[in-house]
Amino acid sequence: DVQLVESGGGLVEPGGSLRLSCAVSGDTFNRNYMAWFRQTPGKEREGVARIATGSGNTYYADSVKGRFTISQDNAKNTVYLQMNSLKPEDTAMYSCAAGRPSYWLSCSLSAQGYNYWGQGTQVTVS
């Protein structure tokens, strides 16, 4: 199993920054990709960014490209999402996920293939 615990959410003004953290523990075999997703009430879950745990290769949704950065610190078993130039439309519950999707599926930022999820952390831009 893999356990994920997010932190770092909060209230920020438009144009501000936040860094989300996802502390990871458990079986590393079950995760070749880590990703951040977000969801607001009444909307479908949206993939934001993903990182390959082995190579560090990253992929971003168009809506956040150039503003968000996903990274990992293997020594701390933590994945980060640095969010800059935040907009009100970035307001959502952000969750990290771990799994073994195929490369092409991971590039679609679909939730398919991610078997482990954290409880989420709320980000409000207002």
Side-chain angles (χ1 to χ4, degrees), residues 26-82:
D27 188 354
T28 57
F29 176 78
N30 285 319
R31 54 183 182 93
N32 63 342
Y33 288 101
M34 298 287 299
W36 286 95
F37 291 82
R38 65 186 181 186
Q39 190 168 22
T40 55
K43 291 188 176 181
E44 289 189 6
R45 181 164 49 194
E46 176 189 14
V48 174
R50 70 93 169 120
I51 186 166
T53 58
S55 67
N57 178 263
T58 58
Y59 193 85
Y60 298 91
D62 287 343
S63 58
V64 306
K65 201 173 295 182
R67 300 188 298 123
F68 290 12
T69 302
I70 187 171
S71 62
Q72 60 185 0
D73 184 331
N74 291 330
K76 295 183 178 180
N77 290 326
T78 302
V79 175
Y80 302 99
L81 186 68
Q82 177 67 44

Side-chain angles (χ1 to χ4, degrees), residues 7-36:
S7 61
L11 174 64
V12 64
E13 294 183 347
S17 298
L18 280 176
R19 188 178 78 160
L20 306 183
S21 299
C22 176
V24 186
S25 60
D27 188 354
T28 57
F29 176 78
N30 285 319
R31 54 183 182 93
N32 63 342
Y33 288 101
M34 298 287 299
W36 286 95

